[in-house]
Amino acid sequence: MTNYQFPEGFLWGGATAANQVEGAYLEDGKGMNLADVMPGGKVRLNVISKPGFDFKIDTKKYTTYPNHEAIDFYHRYADDIALFAELGFKTYRMSIAWSRIFPKGDELEPNEEGLAFYDRVFDECLKHGIEPVVTISHYEMPLYLITEYGGWRNREVISFFERYAITLFNRYKDKVKYWLTFNEINGATHLPIMSLGFSPATEDVRLQESFQGLHHQFVASSLAVKACHEIIPGSQIGCMLIYMPVYAYDCNPQNVLHAMKEEQVFNYICGDVHVRGEYPAFSKRFFKENDININMEDGDLETLKQYPVDFISLSYYMSRTEKKELTKEEKASGNLIAGVKNPHLKASDWGWEIDPTGLRIGLNQLYDRYRVPLFVVENGLGAYDTVEEDGSINDDYRINYLREHIKAMGEAIEDGVELMGYTAWGCIDLVSMSTGEMSKRYGFIYVDKQDDGSGTLERKKKKSFYWYQNVIATNGKELE
Ligand code: BGP
């Protein structure tokens, strides 16, 4: 028994994203989106982020497009949600595929069949007493907005997003109370293609174009906050950050300063605009030194100030260690971004460094700076699983990872952090975002689908299923 005091009503659950689970990529009027042209395999992000990528399916060059079928949640959602209910989920974080609702993105009228699908999903959740937490945009903007409008570089996309968000709030106002705007918004400067829907032509313009795109998303996010509060009284809407506390490699002041700057730019520009409603003081110098000129319209800054988010949600997989000068050999790998290898940490099979203490540090840092509730909406271990002859899957490595991170949250609560909930990433095995692999598994529920696309799609409970079920049932008191 632990002494952790997870609050009454703590939102325990799991998280997925539409494009990584649904499949049915052309069904019921859905339009093509970014994920539909992403091939499987470790080359994926490199291929799609190259300027000149034509955003087409090319089966001669690439053998799999795993998001087309994914795990077929589109047809199996009722059974899957029943399994979530059996786990005891209080909440399910999921996303809506923008191109199911507006197939091209710029239409005036939504696609009714797309809207009806999410009605069915929400009804199923509510039937089981599971509160949906919905990400409006999770790495999958409609392809047409990318190829015809140039993605978020184009200011016009703000109004398309606003229409999309308002459509969702009006339709689901009686079913969904918790909303998130853009998934991992601060990852945009590192991998603009995923969040902003374009690839800068050269490295020289990456920061300029990304911050311009981000500014458009900031305004769009504020307009969504405004609409959400107006349309759904009592609703709560948050931003979503990829959170990696940044450590200095050592106490060399140059390295400490470098780490501080990385922290500011990567973690705090987005946080400050969303919560404080303004660009931070340090951003002026950073923009100047990097030739970044953000084109703003009259009224933008007022909009940002007027409509801050209610809470911060975050993904946490790892910390990041920074050194001013680093060699190629010292570089670590990681979630979108990585610094130098930390000699004190072990890494996952994909090189992501495992650091539960970093979660406690990160939650403290965020809460100290912003004083708004926090919500961990992604955390987990991508690992290879083996199905034993008797059908069991003994994923003790995953249990150990999650246990240590849950303990870190318990400590952070004790430190005074206000934490709303925890949704483990990929609660059911899904297609990996960065590599398109199925073998990088996160779930409590195994899905029989392999990297080459074979498999029956049958679901099986892993050992971690029963463990997490007990964690939720005891509100984090029993973690063994
Ligand atoms: C986050 C994304 C998710 C997810 C997760 C794990 O960055 O929000 O969509 O996939 O990382 O990453 P991966 O799937 O690459 O292992």
Side-chain angles (χ1 to χ4, degrees):
M1 279 296 235
T2 69
N3 286 323
Y4 297 128
Q5 299 295 328
F6 287 93
E8 197 60 23
F10 189 76
L11 292 167
W12 293 102
T16 63
N19 75 86
Q20 292 170 267
V21 293
E22 285 176 7
Y25 82 116
L26 290 177
E27 248 170 86
D28 296 335
K30 177 180 162 295
M32 293 280 286
N33 66 27
L34 176 64
D36 298 328
V37 294
M38 287 168 39
K42 298 202 197 290
V43 291
R44 116 176 311 196
L45 290 184
N46 201 19
V47 169
I48 64 157
S49 19
K50 284 260 164 6
F53 177 66
D54 60 5
F55 297 100
K56 293 204 171 79
I57 294 169
D58 184 347
T59 46
K60 286 208 186 86
K61 242 184 183 157
Y62 306 108
T63 44
T64 57
Y65 283 86
N67 303 65
H68 291 184
E69 182 190 50
I71 60 160
D72 196 32
F73 180 81
Y74 193 79
H75 299 109
R76 296 165 193 249
Y77 67 90
D79 291 345
D80 290 341
I81 293 169
L83 286 168
F84 299 161
E86 196 181 328
L87 271 156
F89 279 13
K90 312 283 179 214
T91 191
Y92 171 40
R93 174 191 173 221
M94 50 173 280
S95 74
I96 290 183
W98 188 345
S99 68
R100 281 200 197 280
I101 311 301
F102 288 98
K104 282 165 39 185
D106 65 352
E107 298 91 337
L108 294 176
E109 294 305 324
N111 168 33
E112 174 52 36
E113 285 174 294
L115 287 167
F117 168 64
Y118 294 104
D119 265 323
R120 296 197 291 277
V121 172
F122 296 143
D123 289 343
E124 205 59 33
C125 288
L126 297 170
K127 184 175 105 188
H128 291 288
I130 297 174
E131 180 88 56
V133 172
V134 177
T135 318
I136 301 172
S137 178
H138 191 130
Y139 290 157
E140 53 186 294
M141 73 189 297
L143 208 53
Y144 190 79
L145 295 184
I146 295 179
T147 55
E148 302 305 310
Y149 287 87
W152 281 94
R153 256 187 303 224
N154 189 333
R155 198 175 163 103
E156 261 188 281
V157 175
I158 298 177
S159 57
F160 303 144
F161 179 84
E162 191 187 7
R163 185 178 307 138
Y164 164 52
I166 288 176
T167 304
L168 301 185
F169 300 148
N170 278 321
R171 176 75 172 221
Y172 306 122
K173 59 174 181 279
D174 298 324
K175 301 181 182 179
V176 181
K177 204 161 75 220
Y178 294 102
W179 297 87
L180 311 178
T181 50
F182 296 99
N183 184 61
E184 295 189 334
I185 187 164
N186 53 328
T189 51
H190 289 270
L191 201 57
I193 186 68
M194 293 303 289
S195 324
L196 299 170
F198 64 81
S199 297
T202 63
E203 191 45 29
D204 291 350
V205 295
R206 182 173 59 85
L207 284 178
Q208 163 65 33
E209 295 197 338
S210 306
F211 275 104
Q212 184 63 61
L214 264 179
H215 179 74
H216 293 150
Q217 289 196 333
F218 292 151
V219 174
S221 163
S222 296
L223 295 170
V225 170
K226 173 179 188 283
C228 185
H229 289 158
E230 281 169 7
I231 298 169
I232 320 179
S235 59
Q236 291 197 48
I237 179 161
C239 60
M240 200 298 203
L241 304 178
I242 170 173
Y243 202 71
M244 295 184 189
V246 185
Y247 305 153
Y249 183 71
D250 55 25
C251 54
N252 176 343
Q254 290 308 318
N255 287 336
V256 176
L257 181 68
H258 177 67
M260 182 194 85
K261 286 186 177 175
E262 287 288 321
E263 179 97 56
Q264 287 181 322
V265 173
F266 189 67
N267 290 332
Y268 294 148
I269 292 185
C270 290
D272 282 18
V273 175
H274 279 106
V275 181
R276 297 175 166 174
E278 58 189 33
Y279 282 90
F282 64 78
S283 62
K284 210 167 161 194
R285 178 170 186 177
F286 171 75
F287 289 156
K288 193 163 157 222
E289 289 180 350
N290 289 282
D291 289 326
I292 298 166
N293 288 297
I294 301 179
N295 206 348
M296 300 189 191
E297 287 195 357
D298 285 351
D300 280 2
L301 292 177
E302 290 71 15
T303 304
L304 301 182
K305 190 79 201 166
Q306 249 183 309
Y307 305 107
V309 293
D310 300 313
F311 64 94
I312 296 178
S313 74
L314 60 137
S315 67
Y316 178 80
Y317 293 92
M318 70 196 74
S319 53
R320 182 174 141 205
T321 305
E322 285 291 339
K323 199 174 178 188
K324 193 149 191 269
E325 314 283 343
L326 79 164
T327 61
K328 220 171 144 203
E329 295 69 50
E330 288 175 313
K331 226 172 166 332
S333 44
N335 191 7
L336 305 187
I337 178 171
V340 62
K341 284 190 184 112
N342 184 327
H344 305 284
L345 300 175
K346 292 206 173 79
S348 78
D349 289 337
W350 277 262
W352 294 21
E353 288 177 339
I354 301 172
D355 180 16
T357 307
L359 177 56
R360 178 174 175 190
I361 294 169
L363 291 172
N364 270 276
Q365 284 173 337
L366 278 175
Y367 194 67
D368 278 351
R369 189 173 180 96
Y370 297 116
R371 282 305 176 107
V372 294
L374 306 178
F375 193 164
V376 178
V377 294
E378 282 190 33
N379 171 242
L381 179 70
Y384 295 108
D385 288 334
T386 309
V387 183
E388 305 296 342
E389 262 173 38
D390 64 359
S392 64
I393 300 147
N394 300 307
D395 55 343
D396 292 296
Y397 36 90
R398 183 168 295 107
I399 295 173
N400 291 338
Y401 178 101
L402 295 170
R403 180 194 296 117
E404 295 311 310
H405 285 78
I406 292 173
K407 283 185 186 169
M409 290 192 304
E411 297 291 343
I413 291 171
E414 196 63 25
D415 294 333
V417 170
E418 198 179 337
L419 198 59
M420 297 164 65
Y422 175 79
T423 55
W425 174 251
C427 46
I428 180 165
D429 290 348
L430 41 63
V431 179
S432 151
M433 181 274 287
S434 57
T435 65
E437 291 164 303
M438 274 306 300
S439 52
K440 191 179 186 189
R441 298 176 182 275
Y442 286 87
F444 304 114
I445 300 162
Y446 181 90
V447 177
D448 179 20
K449 174 145 185 201
Q450 313 308 325
D451 288 344
D452 63 3
S454 64
T456 61
L457 292 170
E458 188 200 339
R459 275 62 166 154
K460 282 188 203 309
K461 296 171 202 168
K462 303 181 194 176
K463 187 172 175 189
S464 57
F465 183 100
Y466 302 101
W467 172 82
Y468 194 50
Q469 190 179 47
N470 190 48
V471 171
I472 299 178
T474 60
N475 200 24
K477 286 274 181 222
E478 279 180 28
L479 296 176
E480 292 311 316

